[in-house]
């Protein structure tokens, strides 16, 4: 209660008031979105979306995976603050696409795209004006021939190019396929301006999400992997040491205190939910979603407590629609959708196909954070409780009005797009990180926001979720505050100055320089 009181005073909000429920209006058809994630059992997992600005106007485009059908890139034609509008192009129409992540691999200031596929993965080099070329071979990247279902990227110390982690699913070449063992995940480290041969991460247990994260604030991110227990034999959730110049090494209970955890791991979302300065992790699963917080940061051990139940965030079965069987969670994402200064959580839900022991009518969750740390379900009232079979998603401000919108990929039916049409009083600030040289978008940086006597930390990552990624404006709700007090700790450890930024503004942050205000063209 003391934490709730302190936070409410800092945000000038009533202690006991329920959070404002945002309003979303579906604009799928009117916006021109019609891509379907299609296919049979080889596409029971995957179904991702990537959002990023490839036109240079600041508005995020949408790349949708199509599974057995064609993928599609949609150019953002939305007016600021207006109805959402997109133009479908044939710029990227690959087949067998499971998901994608934007990443400026060669740090030329033009966004590239990592495309995960059933078969060879592709690296697409951005050419500007939303044009791409296949750079898989030119960059020495071994795309393999696996069933790739997870991704993460980080710039290791001293490297000009990123290290890429690829998570793979069931071994398609086994005689027992599809009920065989899991394919090794791969670590692609750079060798100059190319990638070296992939390093197998053995053992692997059918990864469906992975994330580089500095869990202990050591300055050396580790690779966290969430695995699907449907297939693995003796497997568990994993985390890998990643030390510069050293081979990857698995965290173990004996040597590191890593506790065995077995779930149907589908997606990872990271945020400093309990405001202790360390990242917490929401892990989606089948009726067993977790919210993990570090028990004792001073111990130096990755020993986590699950606080999902007491936080009201288990999301273990449908909350509307009448189907009371267990839920199936996929893409999770923390974001402040009602701009009250407290993180909320979106979870995309959907049956694998028609698994009889799990809910068929399984609506997406929109869980609103409250000052006491307990979340409140509002998906039905907000208008996003779709009963489609959802997979990947992104919570993004598509029309740059300061209100977060939503895109969700569905299996066998069209992806869905919602515009937030709330009348929200809370303020916001949106920032972009830019630095010269390698890693222009500051992957691995930390943004700290001071809220009263608390400092909230946000890791800037590439990976996590369920085969869905985003690069662009980073949105922070401010509640009633007229300004945001924040700083950036850059990937090389340099601590930027605290800056006071006005609410309802877009700001570009660069190392060693004052924030630069930006406005849409």
């Amino acid at each position: 209660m003391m934490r709730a009181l302190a936070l409410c005073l800092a945000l000038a909000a009533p202690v006991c008031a329920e959070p404002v429920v945002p309003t979303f209006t579906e604009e799928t058809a009117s916006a021109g979105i019609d891509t379907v994630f299609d296919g049979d059992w080889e596409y029971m997992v995957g179904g991702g979306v990537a959002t990023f600005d490839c036109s240079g106007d600041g508005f995020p485009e949408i790349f949708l995976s199509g599974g057995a059908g064609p993928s599609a890139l949609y150019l953002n034609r939305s007016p600021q603050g207006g109805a959402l509008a997109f133009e479908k192009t044939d710029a990227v129409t690959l087949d067998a696409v499971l998901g994608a992540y934007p990443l400026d691999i060669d740090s030329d200031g033009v966004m590239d795209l990592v495309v995960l596929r059933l078969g060879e993965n592709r690296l697409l080099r951005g050419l500007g004006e939303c044009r791409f070329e296949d750079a898989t071979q030119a960059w020495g990247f071994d795309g393999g021939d696996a069933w790739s279902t997870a991704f993460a990227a980080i710039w290791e110390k001293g490297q000009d190019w990123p290290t890429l982690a690829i998570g793979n699913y069931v071994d398609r070449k086994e005689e027992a396929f599809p009920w065989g063992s899991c394919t090794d995940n791969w670590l692609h480290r750079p060798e100059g301006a190319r990638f070296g041969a992939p390093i197998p991460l053995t053992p692997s247990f059918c990864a469906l999400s992975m994330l580089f994260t500095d869990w202990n604030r050591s300055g050396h991110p580790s690779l966290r992997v969430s695995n699907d227990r449907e297939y693995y034999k003796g497997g568990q959730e994993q985390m890998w040491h990643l030390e510069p110049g050293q081979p990857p090494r698995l965290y173990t209970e004996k040597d590191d205190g890593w506790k065995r955890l077995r779930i149907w791991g589908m997606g990872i979302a990271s945020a400093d939910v309990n405001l202790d300065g360390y990242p917490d992790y929401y892990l989606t699963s089948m009726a067993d979603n977790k919210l993990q917080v570090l028990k004792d940061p001073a111990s130096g051990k990755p020993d986590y407590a699950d606080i999902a139940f007491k936080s009201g965030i288990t999301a273990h079965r449908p909350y509307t629609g009448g189907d009371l069987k267990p839920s199936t969670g996929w893409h999770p994402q923390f974001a402040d959708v009602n701009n009250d200064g407290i993180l909320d959580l979106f979870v995309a839900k959907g049956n694998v196909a028609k698994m009889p022991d799990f809910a068929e009518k399984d609506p997406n969750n929109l869980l609103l954070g409250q000052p006491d740390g307990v979340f409140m379900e509002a998906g039905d009232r907000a208008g996003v409780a779709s009963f489609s079979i959802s997979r990947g998603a992104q919570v993004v401000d598509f029309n740059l009005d300061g209100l977060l919108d939503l895109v969700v990929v569905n299996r066998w039916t069209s992806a869905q797009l919602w515009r937030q049409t709330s009348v929200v009083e809370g303020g916001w600030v949106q920032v972009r990180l830019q630095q010269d040289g390698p890693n222009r978008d500051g992957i691995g940086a930390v943004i700290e926001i001071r809220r009263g006597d608390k400092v909230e930390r946000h890791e800037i990552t590439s990976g996590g979720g369920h085969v869905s990624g985003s690069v662009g404006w980073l949105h922070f709700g401010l509640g009633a505050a007229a300004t945001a007090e924040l700083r950036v700790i850059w990937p090389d450890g340099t601590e930027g100055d605290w800056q006071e930024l006005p609410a309802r503004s877009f700001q570009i942050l660069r190392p060693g320089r004052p924030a630069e205000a930006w406005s849409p063209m």
Side-chain angles (χ1 to χ4, degrees):
M1 186 63 182
M2 291 303 295
R3 175 182 179 271
L5 179 59
L7 187 53
C8 284
L9 289 174
L11 298 171
V15 175
C16 298
E18 282 197 350
V20 174
V21 177
T23 301
F24 288 84
T25 301
E26 185 174 353
E27 296 185 346
T28 304
S30 61
I33 303 295
D34 61 4
T35 295
V36 174
F37 183 71
D38 213 343
D40 294 325
W41 58 269
E42 286 183 307
Y43 299 98
M44 63 185 174
V45 297
V49 51
T51 61
F52 57 101
D53 173 23
C54 60
S55 62
D57 63 359
F59 288 76
E61 271 70 53
I62 298 176
F63 174 76
L64 291 170
S65 57
S71 59
L73 177 66
Y74 291 82
L75 306 186
N76 195 336
R77 304 303 191 198
S78 311
Q80 186 181 16
L84 301 183
F86 288 86
E87 176 187 348
K88 189 176 183 178
T89 75
D90 59 1
V92 187
T93 54
L94 295 169
D95 64 357
V97 173
L98 295 165
Y101 290 81
L103 186 72
D104 188 356
I105 293 170
D106 56 358
S107 298
D108 65 352
V110 182
M111 198 58 64
D112 310 311
L113 196 61
V114 180
V115 181
L116 304 182
R117 301 176 67 241
L118 184 70
E120 185 189 21
N121 300 318
R122 304 284 181 85
L123 302 185
L124 304 184
R125 179 174 180 261
L127 302 175
E129 299 179 348
C130 295
R131 296 174 298 115
F132 296 86
E133 67 178 8
D134 191 334
T136 308
Q137 292 186 2
W139 286 345
F141 181 78
D142 184 350
D145 186 29
W147 187 352
S148 296
T149 49
F151 172 80
I154 196 71
W155 268 259
E156 294 187 70
K157 300 292 185 184
Q159 294 292 339
D160 291 340
W161 278 50
T163 291
L164 310 181
I166 302 289
N168 296 313
Y169 205 52
V170 183
D171 189 345
R172 301 164 65 210
K173 298 180 178 63
E174 277 201 358
E175 291 184 6
F177 183 68
W179 307 113
S181 59
C182 301
T183 310
D184 277 339
N185 302 326
W186 302 319
L187 193 71
H188 298 260
R189 278 177 153 160
E191 293 181 357
R194 291 169 58 87
F195 292 97
I199 302 168
L201 295 174
T202 307
S204 293
F205 303 119
C206 290
L208 288 177
S209 191
M210 47 182 30
L211 187 69
F212 285 109
T213 176
D214 190 2
W215 66 272
N216 59 355
R217 297 178 59 176
S218 65
H220 297 289
S222 301
L223 178 63
R224 178 146 193 171
V225 185
S226 199
N227 299 307
D228 183 0
R229 69 181 294 175
E230 183 73 21
Y231 292 95
Y232 61 57
K233 299 173 176 65
Q236 58 176 300
E237 297 293 281
Q238 294 173 298
M239 192 159 68
W240 293 84
H241 292 274
L242 193 70
E243 297 161 355
Q246 300 297 318
R249 176 170 58 87
L250 193 62
Y251 279 81
T252 66
E253 185 165 3
K254 178 181 178 181
D255 295 333
D256 307 289
W258 176 258
K259 298 295 178 59
R260 185 172 184 265
L261 174 65
R262 305 182 75 191
I263 59 174
W264 285 273
M266 312 288 201
I268 305 172
S270 172
D272 182 12
V273 179
N274 66 352
L275 302 181
D276 67 350
Y278 291 83
D280 310 312
Y281 304 97
Y282 190 78
L283 311 175
T284 54
S285 182
M286 302 174 78
D288 194 19
N289 303 303
K290 307 290 187 182
L291 178 57
Q292 292 192 325
V293 298
L294 201 57
K295 288 181 181 178
D296 181 12
S299 72
K301 294 183 178 181
D303 188 9
Y304 287 88
D306 177 21
I307 64 167
F309 181 76
K310 76 175 186 179
S311 301
I313 206 170
T314 54
H316 58 282
R317 69 180 186 184
Y319 55 91
T320 189
D323 193 334
L324 298 182
K325 291 180 180 178
S327 279
T328 305
W330 297 90
H331 180 89
Q333 187 172 342
F334 286 105
D336 185 358
V337 295
N338 56 6
N339 286 339
D340 63 358
I342 305 173
L343 285 172
D344 311 306
L345 176 66
F346 175 80
V347 184
K349 292 281 191 67
N351 199 298
V352 172
K354 290 187 177 293
M355 294 185 71
D357 294 333
F358 293 86
E360 288 193 36
K361 296 179 68 175
D362 200 359
N364 301 324
N365 296 98
L366 183 60
L367 294 145
L368 302 180
Q370 301 180 93
D372 61 359
V374 177
F375 288 76
M376 180 186 77
E377 181 61 65
D380 48 353
R381 289 177 287 164
V384 298
S386 171
F387 290 116
S388 297
I389 302 175
S390 298
R391 289 296 190 263
Q394 280 297 304
V395 184
V396 175
D397 182 3
F398 286 115
N399 60 358
L400 301 188
D401 61 354
L403 303 177
L404 291 171
D405 310 304
L406 176 64
V407 60
V408 179
V409 176
N410 298 314
R411 191 177 185 195
W412 295 319
T413 58
S414 173
Q416 290 176 281
L417 183 69
W418 288 269
R419 174 168 65 101
Q420 188 176 165
T421 52
S422 308
V423 179
V424 175
E425 296 181 359
W428 50 270
V429 67
Q430 300 199 54
V431 304
R432 282 208 65 172
L433 304 187
Q434 289 186 6
Q435 60 179 0
D436 295 333
N439 190 12
R440 291 177 61 90
D441 296 295
I443 305 301
V446 171
I447 295 179
E448 293 188 331
I449 300 180
R450 188 176 282 155
R451 303 184 189 273
D453 63 348
K454 294 287 186 180
V455 174
E456 185 177 298
R457 290 171 55 92
H458 296 265
E459 281 191 314
I460 309 306
T461 60
S462 176
H466 185 68
V467 289
S468 300
S470 180
V471 172
W473 294 107
L474 305 167
H475 173 277
F476 303 101
L478 301 180
T483 59
E485 189 180 9
L486 59 78
R487 71 169 180 172
V488 180
I489 302 174
W490 294 92
D492 65 1
T494 300
E495 297 182 358
D497 294 333
W498 286 97
Q499 301 189 59
E500 194 170 274
L501 307 179
R504 300 180 181 272
S505 70
F506 296 87
Q507 305 284 337
I508 297 175
L509 307 180
R510 297 182 174 90
R513 295 169 59 178
E516 177 185 334
W518 178 92
S519 61
M521 300 178 188

